Amino acid sequence: METIVCKFGGTSTADGGAAKRVMQIAEANAARRYIVVSAPGKRFAGDIKITDLLYSAAAAAKARRAKEYRKIYAKVRGRFLEIARDTGADERFLSDLKAEIEETEEKIYLGASEAFAASRGEVLAAKIFSRLIGAPYIGAEELISFSEDGTLDKTTFDKVQARLSGVGRAVIPGFYGRGADGKIHTFPRGGGDITGAVIARGVRADLYENWTDVSGVYAGDPKKNRGAAALPFLTYREFAALQGASVLHEKAAAVAGEAGIPIRILNTFRPEDQGTTIAFAPAKT
């Protein structure tokens, strides 16, 4: 059976409506076995991403600005509870989620690292999606390891394969893993894409789908040129020359490319669109 790893970005997890689209996409193809999610992003212009709220909360906690910290974290709590309610979570799940949110709030205020704080956006999102999709949650700290210099530990791929072997489906939080010191360590911003590529390489996936809010890679800016069309195909080299084209972290393309795993950039809000495939060469017809 074909194995597809899907990564959904922040716009795809931003609210209950978007989350339901993710569920529909995951259910539309049984080969979509491993779902990697980002923390909720912006819902509208002027909105604040959950990750940015968590970084701000961590800074306020470090400075012991308790009132500011509680105010910021209340926004985090409200967003996650709203998404859970809007996706049909029952009272038991909501109670457990609220307890975890409150426990996390105290850990951050009492001195948990900035990386720990930032990573909780993905963790809480993945637990909501685990319930919604009906697939087990597996924390990224079980799968992804960083070396002492902060780079990805190459043993990670074997660890992913061993942990996910025999696991039919799973929901995995993006963006972070465990450092050589045993503590939480994060990828650079946008690093959820890298998580997806690492998982794809570890399970030897046939395809890595990266779901975002545009229908692929464009030669020009589609926001400025409404007639612009997504490019149907790019080689890894061509994609690298575009420096990620703002739709996929370039390190994610490098990780997948080294293993020869094709990548497809797709639009969560227009799943019927063809998207852009990134690979060594176009598939033969």
Side-chain angles (χ1 to χ4, degrees), residues 9-264:
T11 53
S12 302
T13 65
D15 57 29
K20 290 175 184 176
R21 288 176 179 271
V22 170
M23 178 187 69
Q24 292 167 356
I25 290 167
E27 291 180 344
N29 187 342
R32 291 176 177 139
R33 296 178 55 195
Y34 305 111
I35 312 298
V36 177
V37 298
S38 293
K42 293 183 178 182
R43 297 161 292 183
F44 46 81
D47 197 14
I48 304 175
K49 297 177 180 180
I50 284 291
T51 302
D52 289 329
L53 287 173
L54 288 167
Y55 275 125
S56 295
K62 185 175 182 180
R64 311 314 293 166
R65 298 192 298 267
K67 186 175 181 180
E68 179 185 349
Y69 174 73
R70 302 299 181 191
K71 184 177 180 179
I72 295 170
Y73 200 85
K75 295 179 181 179
V76 175
R77 181 191 303 109
R79 284 283 299 277
F80 280 113
L81 291 176
E82 180 181 30
I83 293 170
R85 290 191 188 99
D86 288 349
T87 53
D90 60 24
E91 288 303 317
R92 180 175 180 179
F93 180 86
L94 288 170
S95 178
D96 290 345
L97 180 65
K98 185 177 180 181
E100 181 164 359
I101 291 170
E102 291 175 350
E103 180 182 355
T104 300
E105 179 179 12
E106 291 308 304
K107 284 182 178 179
I108 296 171
Y109 191 71
L110 292 175
S113 69
E114 181 184 68
F116 174 87
S119 70
R120 298 307 93 177
E122 275 73 14
V123 168
L124 293 168
K127 290 189 176 181
I128 291 173
F129 278 90
S130 171
R131 183 206 64 80
L132 182 62
I133 294 172
Y137 166 91
I138 297 179
E141 65 274 18
E142 296 184 48
L143 302 167
I144 294 176
S145 298
F146 293 90
S147 301
E148 290 185 5
D149 63 359
T151 60
L152 185 70
D153 189 321
K154 297 301 183 182
T155 64
T156 288
F157 304 118
D158 291 335
K159 184 182 292 186
V160 169
Q161 184 182 39
R163 177 64 180 87
L164 296 181
S165 177
V167 178
R169 299 186 82 201
V171 175
I172 301 160
F175 187 45
Y176 79 96
R178 190 178 298 281
D181 58 1
K183 297 179 180 179
I184 295 299
H185 185 90
T186 58
F187 287 113
R189 290 299 294 267
D193 293 350
I194 306 173
T195 303
V198 169
I199 300 302
R201 184 165 168 177
V203 300
R204 300 171 185 172
D206 299 285
L207 177 66
Y208 170 34
E209 294 180 342
N210 192 279
W211 292 83
T212 180
D213 58 359
V214 294
S215 296
V217 180
Y218 291 75
D221 187 344
K223 295 179 180 178
K224 296 179 180 179
N225 179 8
R226 293 186 177 182
L231 301 169
F233 179 84
L234 289 167
T235 64
Y236 296 114
R237 186 183 298 275
E238 289 169 337
F239 180 77
L242 295 175
Q243 296 183 326
S246 300
V247 297
L248 178 73
H249 200 291
E250 58 269 23
K251 289 186 178 179
V255 169
E258 287 171 2
I261 298 170
I263 303 167
R264 189 166 295 146

